[in-house]
Amino acid sequence: MKILLTGATGYIAQRLLPVLLEKGHEMICMVRERERFAGKYAATKNITVIEADLLAPESLANIPKDIDAAYYLVHSMSGKGEFSSLEEQCAENFIKAMENTNAQQVIYLSGIVNEEHLSKHLSSRKNVEEILASGKTPLTTLRAGIIVGSGSASFEIIRDLVEKLPVMIAPKWLYTKCQPIAIRNVVEFLSGVLLKEVTYNNHYDIYGPDILTYKQMLLGFAEVRKLKRHIFTVPVMTPRLSSYWLYFVTSTSYSLAKNLVESMKIDVVAKPNNLKDLLGINLIPYKTAIKIAFDKIEQNMVLSSWKDAVGRANYSKFFAKQIKVPQHGVFTDRKMTITDDPERAADRIFSIGGESGWYYADWLWSFRGFLDKLFGGVGLQRGRNNKALITAGESLDFWRVLYANRKEKRLLLYAEMKLPGEAWLEFKVKGNKVIQVATFRPLGIAGRLYWYSVLPFHYFIFNGMINKIAH
């Protein structure tokens, strides 16, 4: 079967794709920029990559007419601004495009929307479902609550809270009920309903076997990790304070934290159905899902992370425009040294960041990350997915990977921290030479003042870093 996969660079799609390939399907992966996707699957058979933007209807003509089904796995909750109107427009354009294909089914992953009063995020999810259902192509909607798996937003936020805070003073929404589901089960449901006619024009809540409060989820996570934690709730923490609490303690962005807090005030409990029996799926308990997630982390097998998403606000900046580092109107700091072991130097380059740190003056990198968070940036908490492997499109602390080629021994990063300008950091090994180049394109006088103010720190930080890489 020929299957269209939208949101192909996203967290869910990256987990679903290998499962569908293993079942022998031909995959059409729809992305906004080919460069973000090509690195991981360059040599994989049965994959065709098409470039299309759901907000640009003319680009949807790239979707093949002879597809059998399509997965709609896009959302905008982590972006800034009025995401609900963007989601509505995307859904309308998509369903019109489906009318020009042979697709027999659209599969949509939504949120559980059983309460009378919904958050802005869940209301938007429900609205998108109604738009998709209005099309001629039969729709199957799977509605999930909290998804638990290595790299998922929910898992990483809970992990940050539990592992960083022995004592938590938390808002009262910690008593809100939810029904978490393991990412493995989500993928089983998504792949299981594919072209199954009984599921056409139906919606199903998908859920795990445990109904828990957020407090129980935090304490359950602590139990699995063998950590003793104490949680006290207070009734006076406003949504804004709750959002800032999540933002500073965890790796989430403020916009995502704000939308999550709004959603966390509403019970997300599923309505039982027989879909798991129909598909032969065994539901995974919450604590077991956590153990599975940590098995993947410890084995360096995290396939995807919510942190790798590039928001629409940043999209206009990305790969096609930024992969070529500017040469004019910029400041550069170029370092070069000789290494006795080029392969080992390349290994260190491709292991940089995350738990490995930046090899020199890590406390200054941490301080820079704290300042970035203070001014609304992403900070250093995003880390990296894999300790040794990295591909274009992934996040790396407060950088985005633009280019990563181990054979060429070249790594190019683009800064996503708050800056009065734009910054690139490039590493490469040529022969026995290690070359490290920091490039900064200032924005006005503020950008120039920033560059000169950090120049003294660059001198010893960048010298120390390249020496650690080379030797």
Side-chain angles (χ1 to χ4, degrees), residues 33 58 60 112 129 131 136 161 185 216 246 262 279 344-345 357 376 432 440 444:
E33 284 191 292
E58 65 281 359
L60 301 183
I112 292 176
E129 180 181 335
I131 293 170
K136 296 178 181 178
L161 291 172
N185 282 156
Q216 289 172 324
L246 279 183
E262 187 181 357
L279 302 179
R344 181 169 172 78
N432 65 344
F440 182 68

Side-chain angles (χ1 to χ4, degrees), residues 188-218:
E188 287 175 331
F189 279 114
L190 284 168
S191 60
V193 298
L194 179 61
L195 296 172
K196 193 170 284 292
E197 290 189 32
V198 70
T199 68
Y200 291 3
N201 296 314
N202 279 315
H203 60 78
Y204 304 89
D205 289 352
I206 58 174
Y207 48 89
D210 305 306
I211 298 176
L212 305 168
T213 65
Y214 288 108
K215 183 174 181 178
Q216 289 172 324
M217 288 176 66
L218 290 168

Side-chain angles (χ1 to χ4, degrees), residues 325-333 422-424 437-442 448 451-452:
V325 182
Q327 303 295 316
H328 304 288
V330 297
F331 296 111
T332 59
D333 186 312
E422 296 174 287
W424 292 258
V437 184
T439 303
F440 182 68
R441 179 159 58 189
R448 287 164 173 79
W451 174 261
Y452 289 118

Side-chain angles (χ1 to χ4, degrees), residues 366-381:
S366 297
F367 182 67
R368 181 64 182 86
F370 169 75
L371 289 179
D372 193 51
K373 276 278 189 179
L374 207 57
F375 288 93
V378 295
L380 274 183
Q381 294 169 314

Side-chain angles (χ1 to χ4, degrees), residues 294-312:
F294 274 99
D295 285 343
K296 296 292 184 183
I297 292 168
E298 289 164 5
Q299 295 174 49
N300 265 330
M301 294 175 63
V302 180
L303 294 177
S304 61
S305 171
W306 72 275
K307 293 172 281 190
D308 295 335
V310 178
R312 182 161 294 277

Side-chain angles (χ1 to χ4, degrees), residues 10-214:
Y11 174 73
I12 299 293
Q14 290 285 293
R15 303 301 178 101
L16 178 62
L17 178 57
V19 173
L20 296 177
L21 287 171
E22 190 176 332
K23 291 187 175 184
H25 297 298
E26 181 182 349
M27 300 304 299
I28 311 298
C29 296
M30 192 175 100
V31 295
R32 287 179 296 183
E33 284 191 292
R34 187 183 302 271
E35 290 83 355
R36 282 201 65 212
F37 183 84
K40 288 183 179 178
Y41 298 97
T44 305
K45 295 180 180 179
N46 289 337
I47 288 182
T48 301
V49 181
I50 61 170
E51 287 190 346
D53 186 344
L54 288 169
L55 287 177
E58 65 281 359
S59 72
L60 301 183
N62 293 331
I63 297 174
K65 301 292 185 290
D66 59 343
I67 60 172
D68 296 291
Y71 284 93
Y72 192 81
L73 301 176
V74 294
H75 69 89
S76 307
M77 188 174 73
S78 60
K80 297 178 181 178
E82 187 53 49
F83 66 84
S84 56
S85 61
L86 293 177
E87 290 195 328
E88 182 175 317
Q89 190 177 343
C90 287
E92 289 173 349
N93 291 338
F94 177 78
I95 207 64
K96 287 177 184 176
M98 285 298 98
E99 293 177 1
N100 298 319
T101 72
N102 298 328
Q104 303 168 47
Q105 181 190 29
V106 171
I107 300 170
Y108 171 51
L109 181 62
S110 183
I112 292 176
V113 288
N114 296 329
E115 293 296 309
E116 184 178 349
H117 300 289
L118 298 175
S119 66
K120 192 175 183 180
H121 162 57
L122 291 175
S123 293
S124 181
R125 299 276 78 199
K126 187 176 181 181
N127 185 43
V128 167
E129 180 181 335
E130 291 170 355
I131 293 170
L132 296 177
S134 69
K136 296 178 181 178
T137 309
L139 176 69
T140 301
T141 301
L142 301 178
R143 299 170 173 176
I146 295 290
I147 296 175
V148 182
S150 56
S152 77
S154 305
F155 174 85
E156 296 299 339
I157 288 170
I158 292 170
R159 182 185 180 186
D160 281 341
L161 291 172
V162 172
E163 296 193 351
K164 291 178 181 178
L165 301 176
V167 178
M168 296 179 223
I169 307 298
K172 61 183 179 180
W173 47 253
L174 250 66
Y175 291 108
T176 301
K177 292 179 181 178
C178 57
Q179 199 160 358
I181 180 171
I183 181 62
R184 185 174 297 184
N185 282 156
V186 173
V187 171
E188 287 175 331
F189 279 114
L190 284 168
S191 60
V193 298
L194 179 61
L195 296 172
K196 193 170 284 292
E197 290 189 32
V198 70
T199 68
Y200 291 3
N201 296 314
N202 279 315
H203 60 78
Y204 304 89
D205 289 352
I206 58 174
Y207 48 89
D210 305 306
I211 298 176
L212 305 168
T213 65
Y214 288 108

Side-chain angles (χ1 to χ4, degrees), residues 11 37 62 112 137-138 152 165 228 242 272 291 316 318 345 361 364 366 374 380 387 391 430 433-434 444:
Y11 174 73
F37 183 84
N62 293 331
I112 292 176
T137 309
S152 77
L165 301 176
K228 192 173 183 179
S242 297
K291 292 175 183 176
S316 62
F318 258 85
L364 281 174
S366 297
L374 207 57
L380 274 183
K387 293 178 182 178
T391 58
K430 286 191 172 183
K433 296 177 181 177
V434 179

